[in-house]
Amino acid sequence: MVNIEYLTPASPEERKKYYREEWDIKQVPEYIVHSIQEREFGFDHIGRGPNDRYKVFQTPDLLKRFLKVRTPFAAYCSVAFYDKPRRRDRWTKAELVFDVDAKDIPIRTCECEGVCEICLNEAREIVLNIIDTLKGDLSLENIHIVYSGRGYHIRVLDHNIMSINSDLRSQIVKYVVGAYVPENEYSLDFEKVSYEHFVIPFGYPNVFTKRFKYAILHLNENSDLDEVNKKLLKDILKHRQLIELENWGMFKNKIGPMRYRKVLKGIASMNMSLIDAKVSIDLKRILRLPSSLHSMVSMKCTEVKNIETFDPFDDAVPKFVYERK
Amino acid sequence: MVSVAFINPLSDEGKMIVRELGEFNGVLSENDDLMNIVTKSRSQEISNDSFIPRSYFDLALKRIEWYAKKKNDRNFEHKQYDFLFNQDIIKFDVIAFYLLCQAIGVKYGPNSRESRVLVESQGKLIENRLSKLSKTERNLIVTNILNSLLSSTHLKWTFFEDLISSKKLKMHELILDKGEIILEMDDFLERFSYKIHGRKPEKMYEALIGDRIKEQVMIKMVMQNTENYIQQVGERSHREIEPNPILLELADKISEVLISSVQTFGKGGSSYGISIKASALNPKSFPPCVKKVMEGMKSGGRNDAIIMFLTPFISYARLYPSVFSENITKQISDVDPTLSIIQNEILPLIFGAAERCNPPLFEDQPQDKVNLNAKLGFGMHQHPELKNEGETTWYTPMSCEKVKIHLPSLCKPDETCKKIGNPLSYYNRKLWAFKKEMKNISNNKDK
């Protein structure tokens, strides 16, 4: 496992070394290779963003040649499929993507400047939670995880949702991250009944309960939540072990019902920042190409085969970094 | 039992009624049967002839007028429209519905304000009609219609793609499991009862799903089908050489009904007797905080100042200055149907202020244009478009109290500020004083 201090920007020579000696077209995931002719590729040659866009490769060999010759600072590929990708014309479908960037997670238990082992692990937890909902509630299949260099991309290629529009993607995002406070009062014919989210072990209330628990257990005294003042935050931290023990009713009582609603609202609003929602609703987004080099941090954007055992500081470090020691 | 077509005019029964009518031209003629049903409706107000539709054409307009007035007119009288809830009217009602869809489809298309109003009115009409039925009858008709609309008992959530993406149905309010939407109690109990502890699963089903969600799904599906039908009509009309003039005339009248129902400016006025009408902006009457933002802001707070503060202020000051005194929620298209004022007057002012920021806001953060549109009620999109209206709320202007908390550097109160609680009230007060002064000057000149 490499020390994070070695993960400094890659030099042009290191990029050459990576693409010419280490990178292999076989590392590009099958789901991209199979649809290579339908996707747009984009490149950043000098480290100022992907301004070499609208590239198309008819075969994997042509992509291979391009990368080995140009050794770009960064390589990207569209989540969208087109009949005419060179002009981004005749959009046919797009993967549904969730971008979890460790450095942008609103509640991190670490205090690092960029990313570190702790926040990357927290990003992984968020990814697992999202995937759990995508598979369980929404029954989506063909889900892939990619380590992006600073976090994770969840890429869903389920044929049932690849042609959906941005509005539906936005609804899915809000559902899986837990961006709404669930109802707690329901009207029956002659009475009103109250069910807090934590007594409903299914559907969206259950998704929200899981996200809520994650958030509460990752708060610290510097956390900033809408509607939650310092005193309330202090009380949450004081009593949160009750949630760890699934003693929800007691936690709510300790906090007080009115203040509990404030916490729910604060967490729901914060949950929208767990992922970069702009990426999820963009039907023509280009994402870092799995297998390519994230030159800024000298890490490989890597397809994750097994998230349980994946260690970015081992599995996503190019060989040239070890030679820096 | 109530007829299916009374709730869902797009049902087979409804289509049969349309086929039976055959001739199109009779829709303008006075119809004694219709007038008879209307006047015999139980609580119908008949003191004025104008309350009684005399033809299919009239009835179509009354259908829209009912919704528009119910939504916008504080003096709305239900008894003037009681005939809409008389089941005997069904044959006429269905034809009126199709006339509306066709007129709007031909002239305005599916993304118009008229289309939105018709779709919403159909939903509201169904809700009101159902509310007048007994519980048993209501359940029966909802189940009956749902069965005809849904092809399988295993409902994949993706089947409701259109309904969810248009937010007619909210994903988080549905109970989803293994990719399916749970509507039936047996299904619910089979999947979840073993997980529920200390509460009755049957009661939980009734609360979380029950008739409420089933009814909601049915209503929203009819609304969606109405929208789809308007779209089909619109597409078909592009292929035809000339649309029927009756439909064009009806389309114009629909627009008139909508305009007259929202022209309520000046009726209410504020507590100090100011008649507030939407009119061209007068920057001299802006409060100090707005003037400060118009001059441009420095880096910190630019975003909130332009997006959260200025955008709602400018849009309401120009389009709906009496929002607080009228207290009726509106969308921008209710007062600017073509969005021309938004495009030509409001956005240029806001973009100008954003440009004067240091560094210029949108140059620095172009994604904030999306947030700006969201505050105007047009969702998270690059440009304001009618089809996206309603996705977000048209934000009302921040109160002085909120300005003090969020943008304390803006609050430099003058004498007038002491008398108001919202920058918009400041503007209205100043504008009224300015107009009064102008009037006095003009009167003095005449003398």
Side-chain angles (χ1 to χ4, degrees), chain A residues 304-318:
Chain A
V304 179
K305 299 284 185 195
N306 183 350
I307 186 101
E308 302 292 344
T309 57
F310 181 77
D311 177 359
F313 296 107
D314 201 4
D315 301 324
V317 180

Side-chain angles (χ1 to χ4, degrees), chain A residues 184-196:
Chain A
N184 66 341
E185 277 211 338
Y186 300 87
S187 296
L188 292 178
D189 281 346
F190 304 106
E191 60 175 326
K192 277 200 168 176
V193 286
S194 173
Y195 294 121
E196 276 295 357

Side-chain angles (χ1 to χ4, degrees), chain B residues 155-172:
Chain B
L155 266 182
K156 284 216 171 276
W157 68 273
T158 43
F159 177 78
F160 290 118
E161 188 181 323
D162 290 343
L163 286 174
I164 296 171
S165 68
S166 62
K167 297 181 191 69
K168 289 188 184 81
L169 284 180
K170 290 173 183 150
M171 207 163 167
H172 67 281

Side-chain angles (χ1 to χ4, degrees), chain B residues 293-294 296-299 301-312 314 342 346-376 380-384:
Chain B
V293 179
M294 292 299 290
M297 300 281 292
K298 285 189 185 159
S299 189
R302 276 177 320 158
N303 191 307
D304 280 0
I306 301 290
I307 309 288
M308 303 284 290
F309 173 74
L310 188 67
T311 300
I314 295 285
I342 280 285
I346 294 168
L347 289 181
L349 264 182
I350 300 169
F351 288 164
E355 183 70 24
R356 284 188 288 278
C357 288
N358 185 18
L361 178 65
F362 297 131
E363 198 175 284
D364 195 20
Q365 298 176 8
Q367 73 280 9
D368 276 331
K369 282 191 180 173
V370 172
N371 295 331
L372 188 154
N373 281 320
K375 299 291 173 280
L376 293 171
M380 300 294 282
H381 302 279
Q382 279 291 339
H383 306 287

Side-chain angles (χ1 to χ4, degrees), chain A residues 204-325:
Chain A
Y204 178 74
N206 190 40
V207 173
F208 184 81
T209 301
K210 289 177 184 167
R211 305 294 178 268
F212 186 82
K213 183 175 178 179
Y214 174 89
I216 294 288
L217 299 182
H218 286 79
L219 290 173
N220 62 38
E221 60 276 14
N222 298 319
S223 300
D224 187 17
L225 287 180
D226 290 353
E227 310 222 11
V228 173
N229 60 26
K230 285 284 169 199
K231 168 80 175 75
L232 180 50
L233 180 62
K234 210 174 154 188
D235 288 347
I236 295 168
L237 297 177
K238 186 177 164 191
H239 299 296
R240 69 175 164 188
Q241 81 282 1
L242 290 168
I243 282 186
E244 208 161 4
L245 299 167
E246 301 289 331
N247 208 338
W248 289 87
M250 188 76 88
F251 177 78
K252 186 184 161 190
N253 282 344
K254 292 278 185 196
I255 297 293
M258 300 290 277
R259 294 167 87 219
Y260 185 75
R261 289 309 285 178
K262 285 188 175 182
V263 184
L264 293 178
K265 284 181 191 166
I267 301 278
S269 144
M270 187 274 300
N271 281 347
M272 263 314 268
S273 317
L274 292 176
I275 62 159
D276 185 349
K278 290 194 295 294
V279 176
S280 303
I281 63 169
D282 191 342
L283 301 176
K284 297 186 171 181
R285 194 84 178 181
I286 52 170
L287 276 190
R288 212 171 270 284
L289 175 69
S291 78
S292 68
L293 183 68
H294 191 317
S295 298
M296 193 57 87
V297 290
S298 290
M299 289 188 102
K300 290 187 284 187
C301 175
T302 309
E303 185 174 25
V304 179
K305 299 284 185 195
N306 183 350
I307 186 101
E308 302 292 344
T309 57
F310 181 77
D311 177 359
F313 296 107
D314 201 4
D315 301 324
V317 180
K319 286 176 186 162
F320 69 78
V321 171
Y322 292 97
E323 291 164 12
R324 285 173 176 174
K325 289 178 184 175

